[in-house]
Amino acid sequence: MLIGCLLVKHLPVKVELQRFPNLRGRPILIVQSLNTKRCILDASEEADGVFSGMSIHEASALCPHGWFLEADLPAYRKAFNDILIALANRSPFVEDGGLGTAYVDLTGLNELYGGEARVITTLISALPEIFTPQIGVAYGKYLAFIAAMMAQPSGAICPPDDIRKFFQDASVDL
């Protein structure tokens, strides 16, 4: 079964940028509470070195001029549910892979949309431009996810038949 993995990296940051466009280009750090600990849920690319799970103390030391925003988990979930609905309007089989990750069964869509390039364009155009999804297309969810991780924003990757060659350029972290 041909699977498309649609990945929206930094979904919480992108939702906040929709609300507060004046923060574009600034370091944004989204804070959440986990039990008694407050930590970073997500951070914009401008918040160099800050990553999800980092304590607020560490993050503020690395990014003293960052804009700290309280996480709005219901808003992020709603935005992602809207994405899932938009995808479901283009494919009958869509699976929630966790906030920012969706899997789409692409079986038969080439014939419906007129080729793989049009399928990918249709999936990307289903989302507001700010989300810049990355798409991986493969015969399996894991490989589709890895391909999506390697794709450019608003782009897609379909791994070649020689998987070893595909992974040759992949980061060890990946």
Side-chain angles (χ1 to χ4, degrees):
M1 173 183 330
L2 193 60
I3 301 289
C5 175
L6 187 134
L7 180 64
V8 178
K9 289 183 178 177
H10 301 290
L11 179 81
V13 167
K14 291 173 181 176
V15 170
E16 296 298 350
L17 284 173
Q18 281 185 310
R19 280 197 242 185
F20 306 109
N22 59 315
L23 294 180
R24 187 175 307 279
R26 298 181 182 183
I28 300 169
L29 299 99
I30 299 177
V31 180
Q32 72 173 343
S33 297
L34 294 174
N35 299 324
T36 59
K37 182 182 174 190
R38 293 181 44 79
C39 62
I40 301 301
L41 170 68
D42 195 15
S44 66
E45 292 178 13
E46 294 81 7
D48 195 33
V50 177
F51 55 87
S52 180
M54 180 179 272
S55 74
I56 292 179
H57 178 73
E58 291 173 296
S60 59
L62 278 174
C63 191
H65 302 294
W67 289 80
F68 288 81
L69 301 175
E70 195 65 38
D72 186 349
L73 297 176
Y76 310 148
R77 188 73 233 174
K78 182 192 178 317
F80 188 59
N81 284 341
D82 290 346
I83 289 171
L84 293 174
I85 290 167
L87 293 173
N89 287 330
R90 285 151 179 87
S91 171
F93 301 106
V94 175
E95 179 183 336
D96 181 342
L99 195 65
T101 305
Y103 295 99
V104 179
D105 181 354
L106 302 178
T107 306
L109 295 185
N110 283 349
E111 292 78 20
L112 181 64
Y113 290 106
E116 188 173 295
R118 286 194 177 177
V119 170
I120 290 168
T121 300
T122 298
L123 295 178
I124 290 172
S125 67
L127 280 63
E129 194 174 314
I130 193 168
F131 289 122
T132 62
Q134 297 166 222
I135 297 179
V137 177
Y139 287 99
K141 288 197 295 189
Y142 177 71
L143 189 54
F145 176 78
I146 296 298
M149 290 289 291
M150 295 172 73
Q152 294 296 315
S154 297
I157 290 182
C158 184
D161 291 336
D162 185 356
I163 300 303
R164 289 179 294 172
K165 203 175 215 179
F166 178 66
F167 280 112
Q168 176 179 317
D169 298 329
S171 157
V172 171
D173 292 337
L174 186 57

